[in-house]
């Protein structure tokens, strides 16, 4: 079945450590996205990529980094510079044109203590 | 800048009641797209509908219906004869070319937590 996978579902880290969240899609979508969701809040865009080897900052990119070396993969690194990293992280993909719906993965819940 | 407002933080109704979730948006663009997503307790967002700014026709899909009114910048979502399985957080979202064109991210509202009591 086509879809988006994120791993792991739950992740625990100590403060000061970098951590990388995985996102893979087999939908042959050009565009991929990372969002952050905090309790009682909507989703906020961290980074997005419209094609391989290119990506753009979203609204809250500080403290995060990404890469897009393959069409299927868009990993997100939460660095130690991110002041409040504990959150639910959702990856999405879409066909790439403006206005196309995005399809989401199951999410990774990151807890940093 | 674009903005999406979902003023209802939480709604609780008894099963079989009809319920409407409100969504008000702001954009300077004349071409834009509106979406509704459902987030069940598992956390994954499920796509429900997309609407473009040139199509104001209301849409019905089973027990779900959507009312798009450009005059009031609203895109409301109604569930008829609600069921316990409808319990979830529902998000309204907006995409427009003000973001710089291309496949940019969505702007989400804060969501409405819908509780359907048996």
């Amino acid at each position: 079945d086509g879809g988006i996978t994120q791993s792991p579902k739950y992740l625990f880290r100590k403060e000061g450590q970098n951590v990388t969240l995985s996102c893979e899609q087999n939908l042959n979508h050009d565009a991929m996205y990372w969002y952050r969701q905090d309790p009682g809040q909507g989703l906020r865009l961290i980074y997005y990529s419209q094609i391989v080897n290119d990506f753009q900052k979203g609204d809250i990119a500080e403290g995060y980094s990404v890469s897009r070396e393959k069409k299927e993969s868009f990993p997100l690194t939460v660095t130690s510079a991110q002041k409040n990293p504990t959150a639910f992280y959702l990856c999405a993909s879409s066909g790439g044109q403006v206005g196309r719906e995005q399809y989401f993965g199951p999410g990774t819940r990151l807890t940093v203590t | 800048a674009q903005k999406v407002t979902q003023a209802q933080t939480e709604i609780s109704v008894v099963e079989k009641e009809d319920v409407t979730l409100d969504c008000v948006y702001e954009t300077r663009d004349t071409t834009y797209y509106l979406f509704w997503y459902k987030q069940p307790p598992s956390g994954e967002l499920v796509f429900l509908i997309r609407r473009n700014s040139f199509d104001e026709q209301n849409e019905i899909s089973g027990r779900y219906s959507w009312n798009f009114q450009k005059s009031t910048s609203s895109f409301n979502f109604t569930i008829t004869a609600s069921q316990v399985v409808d319990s979830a957080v529902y998000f309204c979202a907006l995409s427009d070319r003000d973001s710089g064109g291309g496949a940019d991210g969505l702007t989400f509202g804060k969501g409405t937590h819908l509780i359907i009591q048996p």
Side-chain angles (χ1 to χ4, degrees):
Chain A
D1 276 6
I4 301 172
T5 57
Q6 291 186 244
S7 60
K9 190 163 179 65
Y10 298 95
L11 193 52
F12 299 88
R13 280 292 183 270
K14 293 289 187 186
E15 198 173 320
Q17 293 179 337
N18 291 355
V19 58
T20 298
L21 282 57
S22 165
C23 177
E24 304 277 332
Q25 55 100 357
N26 61 4
L27 300 168
N28 200 32
H29 282 167
D30 289 314
M32 296 186 74
Y33 311 82
W34 275 105
Y35 292 90
R36 169 184 172 134
Q37 185 179 19
D38 294 286
Q41 301 294 315
L43 281 68
R44 292 183 290 168
L45 182 65
I46 304 173
Y47 267 98
Y48 63 97
S49 167
Q50 296 180 16
I51 55 172
V52 174
N53 292 323
D54 185 57
F55 47 83
Q56 306 294 329
K57 292 182 180 180
D59 300 319
I60 55 167
E62 185 174 347
Y64 300 98
S65 66
V66 293
S67 63
R68 186 87 186 276
E69 297 176 2
K70 298 187 300 182
K71 187 175 185 178
E72 306 78 28
S73 179
F74 191 41
L76 173 74
T77 296
V78 184
T79 75
S80 55
Q82 168 50 232
K83 292 187 174 62
N84 296 297
T86 294
F88 187 49
Y89 291 88
L90 286 151
C91 178
S93 71
S94 77
Q97 298 84 16
V98 173
R100 293 296 297 270
E101 60 271 22
Q102 295 181 13
Y103 293 94
F104 285 80
T108 292
R109 195 168 297 279
L110 173 65
T111 302
V112 177
T113 57
Chain B
Q2 62 270 60
K3 184 179 176 182
V4 175
T5 301
Q6 295 179 257
Q8 303 152 310
T9 304
E10 183 173 289
I11 299 175
S12 181
V13 300
V14 177
E15 200 172 20
K16 297 183 184 170
E17 286 185 15
D18 299 347
V19 58
T20 295
L21 309 182
D22 298 333
C23 173
V24 174
Y25 63 91
E26 295 176 30
T27 177
R28 292 174 296 187
D29 209 334
T30 55
T31 301
Y32 52 90
Y33 301 83
L34 295 162
F35 305 81
W36 276 94
Y37 284 87
K38 174 182 180 179
Q39 186 177 42
S42 62
E44 183 171 344
L45 265 72
V46 177
F47 167 71
L48 295 178
I49 191 172
R50 177 186 73 147
R51 216 73 186 130
N52 74 56
S53 53
F54 299 110
D55 183 1
E56 285 193 75
Q57 200 168 12
N58 290 334
E59 180 151 343
I60 298 174
S61 176
R63 296 184 296 105
Y64 294 172
S65 62
W66 290 269
N67 183 0
F68 176 31
Q69 291 195 341
K70 286 176 77 170
S71 60
T72 55
S73 297
S74 65
F75 186 43
N76 297 337
F77 173 31
T78 297
I79 301 175
T80 302
S82 59
Q83 300 176 3
V84 172
V85 293
D86 296 326
S87 297
V89 180
Y90 291 86
F91 290 98
C92 181
L94 167 71
S95 171
D96 65 17
R97 289 183 296 191
D98 258 358
S99 308
D104 299 332
L106 300 175
T107 297
F108 283 84
K110 292 189 175 182
T112 297
H113 184 198
L114 178 62
I115 301 168
I116 310 296
Q117 300 179 22

